């Protein structure tokens, strides 16, 4: 079964600085999708960024970027120029390719990010 | 669109009582998911529907849990009888098409369930 591990329960960063959140996963598949979700205090999960395993280029969304290392099964999230509004729980998630597979997302346990002014 | 709407936002009940959680997905979305979030186990998929049909209910913990989707705009998750270990945040989410390169999952704000 696929598993997703976030080894950092909590992280903190100074406003305007850069922080990297770690995620590793276990799979025997060659094609899959990876996601980072943000959960602010309002509880609603929001998609931050996604990566397709067959794409070598790392995904970027404004201040958010990933470092996808397929061989190492690593998928870290980098937040540049951190803002107070970035404070939240961040979840890494994995999904098998759609062909014949479930629509299930497997989530890590999350990393709580604190942004200090 | 108002997004995925869940009710109630908070529910406090006593052990043994029946609990019903409700969800209205985004209009036009054909997939609906129920997730449960606890400190110990994180976010777990309980069940999901495609075009109102349950596709994968392998995550439903036991027979006390049941989910229905009578039409495209409404789903319920029922726990009967409830137990203290059911205390968690229950999320409903919906998507248009399969998740992957172009589609994404939209979550509701969740129902915080406390079973005393």
């Amino acid at each position: 079964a696929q598993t997703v591990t976030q080894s950092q329960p909590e992280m903190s960063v100074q406003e305007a600085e850069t922080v990297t959140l770690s995620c590793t996963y276990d799979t025997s598949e060659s094609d899959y999708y990876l996601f980072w979700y943000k959960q602010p205090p309002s509880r609603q999960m929001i998609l931050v960024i996604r990566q397709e395993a067959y794409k070598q280029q790392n995904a970027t969304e404004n201040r958010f970027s990933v470092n996808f290392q397929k061989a190492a099964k690593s998928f870290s999230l980098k937040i540049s120029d951190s803002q107070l509004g970035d404070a939240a729980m961040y979840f890494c998630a994995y999904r098998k390719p759609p062909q014949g597979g479930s629509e299930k997302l497997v989530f890590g346990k999350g990393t709580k990010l604190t942004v200090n002014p | 669109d108002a997004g995925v709407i869940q009710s109630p936002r908070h529910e406090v009940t006593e052990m043994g009582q029946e609990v019903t959680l409700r969800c209205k997905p985004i209009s036009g979305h054909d997939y609906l998911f129920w997730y449960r979030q606890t400190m110990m186990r994180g976010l777990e998929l309980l069940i999901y529907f495609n075009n109102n049909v349950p596709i994968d209910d392998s995550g439903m913990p036991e027979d006390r849990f049941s989910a229905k989707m009578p039409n495209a705009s409404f789903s319920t998750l029922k726990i009967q009888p409830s137990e203290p270990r059911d205390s968690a945040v229950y999320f409903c989410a919906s998507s248009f098409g399969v998740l992957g390169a172009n589609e994404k999952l939209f979550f509701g704000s969740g129902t915080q369930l406390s079973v005393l």
Side-chain angles (χ1 to χ4, degrees), chain A residues 40-104:
Chain A
S42 66
R43 282 202 316 239
Q44 190 171 27
M45 302 277 285
I46 303 164
L47 178 65
V48 174
I49 198 167
R50 82 181 102 195
Q51 175 79 40
E52 300 158 61
Y54 66 86
K55 286 188 175 180
Q56 293 187 336
Q57 186 174 9
N58 289 325
T60 62
E61 288 285 344
N62 301 313
R63 298 182 296 106
F64 298 87
S65 61
V66 299
N67 183 5
F68 173 49
Q69 301 289 328
K70 190 172 184 179
K73 297 180 182 176
S74 171
F75 182 60
S76 60
L77 174 69
K78 186 171 82 171
I79 306 174
S80 304
D81 186 24
S82 298
Q83 300 175 0
L84 295 178
D86 295 333
M89 285 289 291
Y90 286 82
F91 293 90
C92 179
Y94 165 97
R95 188 212 182 284
K96 285 188 343 183
Q99 302 90 317
S102 170
E103 292 298 309
K104 178 179 179 178

Side-chain angles (χ1 to χ4, degrees), chain B residues 10-21:
Chain B
H10 301 277
E11 177 80 30
V12 180
T13 190
E14 292 188 349
M15 183 174 61
Q17 296 297 305
E18 177 179 294
V19 175
T20 299
L21 311 181

Side-chain angles (χ1 to χ4, degrees), chain A residues 39 43-44 50 95 103 109, chain B residues 99-100 103 107 109-110:
Chain A
Q39 186 180 39
R43 282 202 316 239
Q44 190 171 27
R50 82 181 102 195
R95 188 212 182 284
E103 292 298 309
K109 292 287 183 68
Chain B
L99 302 177
E103 298 306 326
F107 282 81
S109 296

Side-chain angles (χ1 to χ4, degrees), chain B residues 14-65:
Chain B
E14 292 188 349
M15 183 174 61
Q17 296 297 305
E18 177 179 294
V19 175
T20 299
L21 311 181
R22 297 172 175 80
C23 175
K24 176 179 169 56
I26 293 173
S27 177
H29 281 190
D30 53 351
Y31 282 86
L32 183 139
F33 302 79
W34 283 100
Y35 278 87
R36 179 172 68 174
Q37 184 179 30
T38 61
M39 289 294 292
M40 290 296 294
R41 300 173 68 89
L43 271 156
E44 302 173 288
L45 177 67
L46 299 177
I47 185 171
Y48 79 90
F49 297 82
N50 177 216
N51 291 322
N52 313 337
V53 176
I55 303 299
D56 183 353
D57 65 354
S58 58
M60 296 286 264
E62 49 198 273
D63 292 345
R64 298 184 297 106
F65 285 70

